[in-house]
Amino acid sequence: MHRLVSAAVPLMAALAAFACAAVILVALGASPVDGFRAIFSGAFGSVDRLSVTAVRAAPLILVGAGISISFRASVINIGGEGQIIAGALLSTVVALAFPDLPRPVLLPMVLVAGLVGGGIWGAIPGALKAYASVNEILSTIMLNIVAVQFMNFMLRSPLIDPLEIERGTRIPQTERLSDNAALPTLIGGTRLHLGVVVAIVAAIGAYVLLWRTPLGFRLRAVGHSPDAARAAGIPVKRSIVTALALSGSLAGLAGAILVFGSEGQRMVTDGSAAGFTGSAGFNGIVAALFGGLHPLWTIPSAYVFGGLITGANHLQRVLQVPAALAVTLNGIVVMFVVSSSNVRERMSSLLQARSEFRESESTIASEEVVSS
Amino acid sequence: MAQDDDSPMLEMRGITKRFPGVLANDSIDLTVRSGEVHTLLGENGAGKSTLMKILFGLYQPDEGDIRLNGESVKIVSPSFAIEHGIGMIHQHFMLVPTLTVAENVALGTRSTRWPLTDPAVVSERVSEISERFGLAIDPSVEVWKLAVGERQRVEIIKALYREAKLLVLDEPTAVLTPQEVDEFFEILSGMRDSGHGLIFISHKLREVVAISDEITVLRNGRVTGHTTPGESDRHQLAELMVGREVSLAPDRPPVDVGEPRLVIKGLSATSDRGTLAIDNLNLEVRAGEVVGIAGVSGNGQRELAEVVAGLRPAKQGSVVQINGVDAVGAGARTTRQAGLAYVPEERMRDGAIGEFTVSENLVLIDHGSKQFSSRGLLRFAEIKRHCRQLVDQFKVKTPGLDTSTSTLSGGNIQKLILARELASGPTVLLAAQPTRGVDIGAAEYIHQQIIAQRNLGTAALVISEDLDELLAISDRIAVMFEGRIMGIVAAEIATREGLGLMMAGVAEGSPA
């Protein structure tokens, strides 16, 4: 019963979102049927499109898996954007510093640098929350802004490509990074690169961490009941910092993958966060909610969202509708999915309350049988 | 309403209420006459509150018939119930603290000068009611200034103001000291003599015997007995309630008392609100004894438990040692390593995690130990084996180890917590309100376990508001009042009266 509801509600939300999208398409003078066909073929229509979608999904998987960790510990992390940027910056610095290391050494190093960078950027609001009671929703959002400005500064002066200065164009981007740090392509002729595998492995790792390790046990205990955790001797404050650091580190890994899986093989900014992240820091939250805050379910859920993004871009090209429609579609789906997770929660708590009542009464009944 | 002198005030006949999969009330009969205190006795889940919710119009019965003064009625809503003279005194008071007594009473009633208020009229009637039943309540005083016992009397005034003839009192004595209970019973007697009908819900057998005219015992949704205090004593009532023989006082074989394991010297600590909750408190608990802490709730007991567990900071100079290890502000990990087992007062807040499974809660403390984890991974097979053993040993009734803990009954959750806490072989046991809201069978079992620990040489500190419980299991009883120990009495020579006086802060007892 619970499972059925959990599955049905987000599907209903998706259908409702598509109904809204259909209305918009009609208003724009396009056929909804053609529109949806374009989205679908753009997202999943060929091996090439499937692999583009997978590449778009990889950061969403990572951010989503991280979100699952922090939300399970009852810590809200809206700082994915900033953590992606922090991870990307640190991994870029590492690649710039050691360009000549062989690939088997350098590639793992830049990925770890991504983890560390994002982890530090996540640990800051974690520590602020744990030790100074600063609301993490506010601090993570603020740190997004700080990260963007820091990225712009870094790419405009210390890390800028010397060629850009020479030519006087001053585009805020790094030089082409060492090929030894590039994520190798998995299938020739497609964009599918190792980063997708890394993301899936990391999501599985997040699952193992949450449900198979003492650390994950503590995080979940703190998430459900800080009081009971504290009374049991679990360090609640440290767990909060850990949860946000882990969540941030997965986002940071996504940042490294964005840099070293990019076609330009360099980090570049247009001045905004979304220009670099593609809003993966926010869309990853939605993917995680759509996946029921379960790292493994986040994988297919992120893939669907990746498909929506690539499909909407395709739609725009095929039907010649305004570019804003892609963003709008994304927004509509997000809105419905987020509210559906609320509906799902309320429905399942309703169902749970009912079955709890039943079970508590029947437990009492069974006690009677045992004792008489 | 036609008052027929022969027909009882309330007749509930064959009341049946089903919830999906549960028969909450199975053909229950209840008759309450004017001028009678009728006790409804039963454990949690026996069906008392369902029956009362039906009486108050919150639920509709599936079958059965309700008659008020001989007239068959369908109680469709609480307002219908109030109009027909039924009043409900809830366990948790429904009062606005910043308003005066009269304003609280007037809330929700129609003013005689509607749409204007009529404070003078209300005050006068409140004074009248207060005087008539000896409630001693000033209508012009704000509710926040009143003591708990007085607030309860305001609730009674609220019901009487609405001309309730039949009053339902849901565990009214839970918040009162023994002396306050005596006064409260005098008030009830006065109401009985004036022709009110009273339904008294309680599981405190001593009080039930003291006040009731009639007793109806419920178990598992059915009436299992109808009796009077003259016919049945406490033991028989307990049997009717539980369905088997129960021992209200466990055997306590003499044990040699050893060295002090828990030492508290000059302890002062503040409450969450920053007021002084514990004031220079001194206490020692030695190996092989149970020390009970009696007192009306809110006199520092909660803070005392938290300080001893290492969870609450204390003022400079305070000493709390568990087997010589400083506990003040040390955190639960340190106090547990020092040998403490802690059964917290709020079991669903501090003791167990409702969303966790039974086995997750059983290893809540030790999940990171070598026994249950290796190389960063939990050892599920070992956890399962350990939990299976604990569940069997402590008779936790659960459908399985992976059952969500929140679905268990209060008694079983408490057994689960006790199992976890005792599994580590503690030398000091701190249990706060160990049997509150727990059914008699589980309470009996928990008492046995505490005594068994004492017999093994554990120093046990039991904080409880239930004097009968403390008298049954303690070797010494200390009474807390306003953050201090008023006196410590050996349990054999302790009397309810003496303890009650100390609980009210009246007399200093002689140390034993």
Side-chain angles (χ1 to χ4, degrees):
Chain A
M1 189 72 168
H2 292 200
R3 268 158 204 265
L4 212 69
V5 170
S6 314
V9 173
L11 286 179
M12 295 292 289
L15 283 179
F18 278 113
C20 280
V23 171
I24 295 172
L25 282 169
V26 169
L28 289 168
S31 146
V33 176
D34 290 347
F36 292 136
R37 196 176 290 150
I39 290 178
F40 189 83
S41 67
F44 312 115
S46 66
V47 175
D48 188 46
R49 301 310 303 174
L50 283 169
S51 61
V52 169
T53 296
V55 169
R56 289 307 291 259
L60 302 184
I61 293 173
L62 284 165
V63 173
I67 291 295
S68 304
I69 294 176
S70 67
F71 279 35
R72 292 277 170 186
S74 262
V75 188
I76 317 285
N77 179 12
I78 316 287
E81 295 278 283
Q83 292 145 12
I84 290 173
I85 290 169
L89 274 175
L90 193 61
S91 62
T92 300
V93 168
V94 168
L96 285 171
F98 308 103
D100 302 325
L101 287 176
R103 174 175 282 191
V105 181
L106 187 57
L107 185 55
M109 262 175 73
V110 298
L111 294 180
V112 169
L115 284 166
V116 171
I120 292 170
W121 214 247
I124 295 167
L128 286 172
K129 179 186 171 68
Y131 300 102
S133 303
V134 176
N135 181 305
E136 78 277 19
I137 299 176
L138 295 178
S139 60
T140 50
I141 291 178
M142 299 300 180
L143 281 166
N144 286 343
I145 299 165
V146 175
V148 175
Q149 297 312 323
F150 187 61
M151 168 178 72
N152 291 341
F153 163 74
M154 291 299 278
L155 295 185
R156 273 179 197 138
S157 47
L159 299 183
I160 195 167
D161 184 353
L163 270 177
E164 295 291 333
I165 298 174
E166 233 169 77
R167 289 195 300 239
T169 42
R170 299 195 77 96
I171 295 171
Q173 63 181 23
T174 63
E175 64 186 38
R176 192 176 161 83
L177 299 167
S178 165
D179 279 335
N180 286 351
L183 290 158
T185 307
L186 297 178
I187 303 173
T190 71
R191 299 275 314 117
L192 190 70
H193 59 65
L194 189 67
V196 176
V197 178
V198 171
I200 291 172
V201 169
I204 295 169
Y207 164 77
V208 170
L209 178 106
L210 276 175
W211 277 281
R212 296 276 181 265
T213 69
L215 175 62
F217 183 95
R218 286 196 281 278
L219 296 182
R220 289 186 297 118
V222 169
H224 283 306
S225 170
D227 289 314
R230 200 164 81 96
I234 293 171
V236 173
K237 294 181 174 183
R238 210 189 305 154
S239 300
I240 288 171
V241 181
T242 308
L244 261 170
L246 285 170
S247 184
S249 66
L250 288 178
L253 181 57
I257 286 174
L258 281 173
V259 173
F260 297 101
S262 68
E263 277 166 277
Q265 181 68 6
R266 55 164 53 112
M267 189 168 177
V268 54
T269 175
D270 67 353
S272 71
F276 172 67
T277 64
S279 293
F282 294 123
N283 287 332
I285 300 175
V286 184
L289 289 174
F290 200 67
L293 292 175
H294 192 293
L296 295 183
W297 281 111
T298 300
I299 299 171
S301 147
Y303 195 76
V304 170
F305 269 88
L308 186 72
I309 295 165
T310 51
N313 290 334
H314 188 70
L315 163 80
Q316 176 212 330
R317 284 195 301 273
V318 172
L319 293 190
Q320 297 297 315
V321 290
L325 184 62
V327 184
T328 308
L329 276 184
N330 197 358
I332 290 171
V333 172
V334 167
M335 196 178 70
F336 274 99
V337 168
V338 171
S339 40
S340 83
S341 76
N342 182 12
V343 170
R344 175 167 54 179
E345 222 160 77
R346 266 190 284 172
M347 286 189 71
S348 68
S349 75
L350 201 78
L351 289 172
Q352 174 136 5
R354 196 180 293 171
S355 71
E356 262 168 33
F357 177 80
R358 212 176 298 161
E359 282 180 48
S360 72
E361 296 279 336
S362 61
T363 313
I364 291 153
S366 70
E367 265 172 41
E368 294 299 330
V369 174
V370 172
S371 55
S372 55
Chain B
M1 209 185 312
Q3 176 81 37
D4 183 347
D5 283 338
D6 290 339
S7 45
M9 192 173 238
L10 168 72
E11 262 188 295
M12 297 177 93
R13 265 191 245 148
I15 299 292
T16 297
K17 178 71 185 171
R18 292 181 198 90
F19 291 105
V22 194
L23 196 54
N25 282 174
D26 181 4
S27 177
I28 290 181
D29 294 334
L30 179 70
T31 305
V32 182
R33 285 167 203 287
S34 146
E36 143 183 322
V37 177
H38 195 125
T39 292
L40 213 48
L41 183 66
E43 302 205 74
N44 298 322
K48 292 173 304 194
S49 46
T50 303
L51 188 67
M52 289 302 106
K53 280 178 180 164
I54 289 171
L55 175 61
F56 207 55
L58 291 163
Y59 291 154
Q60 293 306 314
D62 296 326
E63 284 164 36
D65 180 35
I66 302 174
R67 284 165 189 272
L68 292 172
N69 302 308
E71 201 180 319
S72 182
V73 291
K74 190 166 160 22
I75 302 175
V76 290
S77 69
S79 48
F80 181 96
I82 291 168
E83 274 166 38
H84 287 74
I86 300 170
M88 180 92 91
I89 313 291
H90 294 278
Q91 202 174 355
H92 303 286
F93 305 147
M94 315 272 180
L95 297 171
V96 184
T98 50
L99 297 185
T100 66
V101 171
E103 285 166 338
N104 265 289
V105 170
L107 268 184
T109 61
R110 181 92 172 201
S111 156
T112 52
R113 301 196 296 156
W114 191 86
L116 299 176
T117 55
D118 53 352
V121 181
V122 176
S123 290
E124 199 180 312
R125 273 211 58 207
V126 168
S127 301
E128 210 180 282
I129 293 168
S130 169
E131 217 163 289
R132 180 162 161 220
F133 294 101
L135 298 171
I137 295 291
D138 174 0
S140 63
V141 70
E142 283 95 357
V143 164
W144 63 265
K145 291 180 182 162
L146 299 178
V148 174
E150 292 173 310
R151 291 184 196 197
Q152 188 168 49
R153 301 208 286 272
V154 175
E155 287 284 3
I156 293 173
I157 290 174
K158 266 170 72 180
L160 294 176
Y161 183 88
R162 288 162 173 73
E163 300 190 332
K165 297 294 284 175
L166 178 68
L167 273 94
V168 180
L169 303 145
D170 185 7
E171 303 207 7
T173 58
V175 292
L176 305 178
T177 65
Q179 273 77 16
E180 283 178 313
V181 170
D182 291 344
E183 288 168 25
F184 181 70
F185 281 179
E186 272 174 40
I187 295 167
L188 294 192
S189 302
M191 288 165 62
R192 162 169 59 194
D193 296 343
S194 71
H196 287 85
L198 303 168
I199 299 178
F200 179 65
I201 298 177
S202 180
H203 57 250
K204 290 191 179 171
L205 298 169
R206 181 183 304 280
E207 294 172 359
V208 169
V209 171
I211 189 70
S212 309
D213 299 306
E214 301 280 330
I215 302 168
T216 295
V217 188
L218 297 186
R219 170 158 45 95
N220 206 13
R222 267 179 234 120
V223 174
T224 51
H226 184 89
T227 178
T228 62
E231 289 167 27
S232 305
D233 64 10
R234 290 200 294 144
H235 280 90
Q236 289 161 326
L237 288 175
E239 274 183 50
L240 283 174
M241 203 161 133
V242 182
R244 65 181 166 85
E245 202 175 322
V246 289
S247 75
L248 295 173
D251 287 337
R252 287 191 296 123
V255 170
D256 285 335
V257 173
E259 77 274 22
R261 291 200 185 278
L262 173 64
V263 177
I264 302 171
K265 275 189 212 143
L267 171 63
S268 297
T270 53
S271 70
D272 290 334
R273 286 177 299 172
T275 55
L276 192 67
I278 304 174
D279 182 8
N280 194 17
L281 183 142
N282 298 292
L283 186 68
E284 272 188 7
V285 186
R286 290 166 293 183
E289 70 169 349
V290 176
V291 173
I293 299 271
V296 180
S297 82
N299 274 291
Q301 299 96 317
R302 175 190 298 256
E303 288 81 4
L304 175 64
E306 288 175 358
V307 171
V308 171
L311 298 170
R312 178 179 286 279
K315 294 211 164 161
Q316 199 80 39
S318 300
V319 175
V320 177
Q321 287 182 329
I322 295 163
N323 294 314
V325 176
D326 283 321
V328 174
R333 178 158 294 252
T334 305
T335 54
R336 287 175 187 287
Q337 274 163 2
L340 179 77
Y342 174 40
V343 179
E345 173 177 345
E346 303 256 355
R347 76 178 69 97
M348 285 319 289
R349 193 192 71 185
D350 298 330
I353 297 175
E355 296 89 343
F356 265 24
T357 65
V358 168
S359 56
E360 282 175 324
N361 271 310
L362 282 171
V363 296
L364 194 60
I365 296 161
D366 290 329
H367 62 273
S369 71
K370 280 206 182 95
Q371 189 186 354
F372 301 127
S373 68
S374 71
R375 281 187 248 117
L377 291 176
L378 292 167
R379 298 173 62 190
F380 286 101
E382 176 62 19
I383 289 172
K384 197 172 167 186
R385 190 198 62 75
H386 174 77
C387 294
R388 165 82 36 220
Q389 186 196 331
L390 283 184
V391 162
D392 289 347
Q393 186 188 339
F394 284 85
K395 303 184 170 65
V396 182
K397 277 164 204 134
T398 168
L401 295 177
D402 293 330
T403 305
S404 169
T405 304
S406 59
T407 62
L408 302 187
S409 70
N412 277 306
I413 293 172
Q414 192 71 324
K415 284 195 220 166
L416 183 160
I417 293 169
L418 203 66
R420 178 186 73 208
E421 297 296 329
L422 299 183
S424 58
T427 50
V428 176
L429 168 62
L430 167 61
Q433 319 293 354
T435 61
R436 179 191 276 172
V438 161
D439 48 283
I440 287 195
E444 182 190 15
Y445 181 79
I446 290 163
H447 288 159
Q448 286 166 0
Q449 290 298 318
I450 293 172
I451 297 296
Q453 283 296 314
R454 158 197 181 264
N455 297 345
L456 287 171
T458 300
L461 184 63
V462 178
I463 298 172
S464 177
E465 279 155 33
D466 183 348
L467 272 189
D468 287 325
E469 167 169 89
L470 291 180
L471 287 164
I473 64 171
S474 307
D475 296 296
R476 295 189 294 150
I477 298 176
V479 180
M480 258 185 108
F481 177 73
E482 291 187 345
R484 281 171 294 128
I485 300 285
M486 290 296 289
I488 304 179
V489 199
E492 306 89 74
I493 61 163
T495 61
R496 300 177 57 79
E497 292 67 32
L499 294 172
L501 283 172
M502 285 195 276
M503 282 164 74
V506 175
E508 298 266 351
S510 55

